[in-house]
Amino acid sequence: MQQLIFATNNSHKLKEVAAKIEGKIKLYSLDDIGCYDDIAETGATFHENASIKSHFVHNKYKLNCFGDDSGLEVDALNGEPGVYSARYSGKPGDHTGNINKVLKKLGDTTNRKARFRTVISLIWDNKEHFFEGVIEGTIRHEPSGTKGFGYDPIFQPDGYTSTFAELSLEEKNNISHRAEAIEKLLAFLATV
Ligand code: IMP
């Protein structure tokens, strides 16, 4: 079985990705390989940040690996929080603070259109490949649901009446931005 490092320690992301590639690829996290470095996300785009993560791990361990960067883009906020999704409120990983900031900035705005985007940078046999996934939706006026992570409680995917945080892992994994990017990565790996 092919082996691949996922340059993350985000347990939610790991769970989502592991569910997608189980039985096809043996996946290792940064914890699994004993990598405890703080990889600074200093890029201005999802592509740059995904690339920083994959190159850091590849340069250090010389293993096939991928990094991802993802976030929420809200049309009425000119694409914010974008690459700042994880630290929008100022405190990294403060999901409640991030959600409150989006809701406050949006106020009663009627244009609630938004999307999640994931970009994956895979380094396979010393070459970099990008894969992207997008899910369109709208921002609710109030959070709802307890599953998932991040902005899931305020994001309602188009065609659904539930937020991401009200869907099961399996339901989210059928349609999410990350799932789409991972499916493209798997399709690529099936050809090498
Ligand atoms: P990253 O770990 O640098 O990719 O930052 C991603 C941030 O974007 C997370 O901390 C979340 O705030 C947000 N995000 C990305 N994907 C999702 C998702 O599937 N659901 C909810 N929030 C997400």
Side-chain angles (χ1 to χ4, degrees):
M1 201 185 293
Q2 288 160 323
Q3 299 194 347
L4 202 49
I5 316 295
F6 184 8
T8 191
N9 273 327
N10 178 325
S11 60
H12 295 278
K13 285 185 179 179
L14 274 167
K15 220 192 264 175
E16 288 181 11
V17 170
K20 275 263 161 242
I21 70 181
E22 212 161 41
K24 297 175 189 145
I25 291 169
K26 181 84 188 96
L27 194 70
Y28 297 92
S29 70
L30 292 181
D31 258 354
D32 292 334
I33 60 168
C35 177
Y36 302 109
D37 299 277
D38 188 19
I39 308 172
E41 296 179 27
T42 51
T45 63
F46 293 128
H47 281 79
E48 282 175 20
N49 280 335
S51 203
I52 287 170
K53 295 178 203 176
S54 63
H55 278 90
F56 181 90
V57 172
H58 187 256
N59 289 340
K60 188 162 176 181
Y61 298 95
K62 311 291 174 217
L63 296 168
N64 289 328
C65 63
F66 69 98
D68 83 320
D69 198 39
S70 52
L72 180 70
E73 299 170 346
V74 181
D75 284 358
L77 303 180
N78 298 316
E80 285 184 15
V83 288
Y84 302 107
S85 290
R87 52 198 145 118
Y88 196 43
S89 68
K91 237 177 33 194
D94 174 11
H95 295 316
T96 308
N98 292 339
I99 284 177
N100 288 341
K101 184 166 176 186
V102 168
L103 291 181
K104 193 164 172 214
K105 284 192 101 171
L106 271 181
D108 289 333
T109 312
T110 50
N111 176 10
R112 318 284 300 183
K113 268 193 78 54
R115 69 203 53 76
F116 276 121
R117 191 183 299 279
T118 290
V119 173
I120 286 176
S121 157
L122 168 73
I123 303 184
W124 187 265
D125 287 347
N126 301 310
K127 262 183 71 182
E128 184 172 26
H129 306 265
F130 287 105
F131 307 97
E132 190 164 340
V134 173
I135 172 96
E136 299 283 342
T138 50
I139 301 296
R140 286 275 194 90
H141 287 267
E142 282 173 16
S144 187
T146 54
K147 301 190 186 84
F149 71 105
Y151 299 90
D152 281 347
I154 55 168
F155 183 81
Q156 179 173 307
D158 285 350
Y160 286 73
T161 52
S162 312
T163 66
F164 258 176
E166 293 169 323
L167 297 179
S168 67
L169 174 72
E170 198 186 351
E171 287 170 314
K172 182 181 173 189
N173 249 350
N174 280 332
I175 57 171
S176 85
H177 49 311
R178 190 164 301 104
E180 186 188 3
I182 286 292
E183 269 158 25
K184 290 179 181 171
L185 178 147
L186 286 174
F188 168 80
L189 289 180
T191 68
V192 294

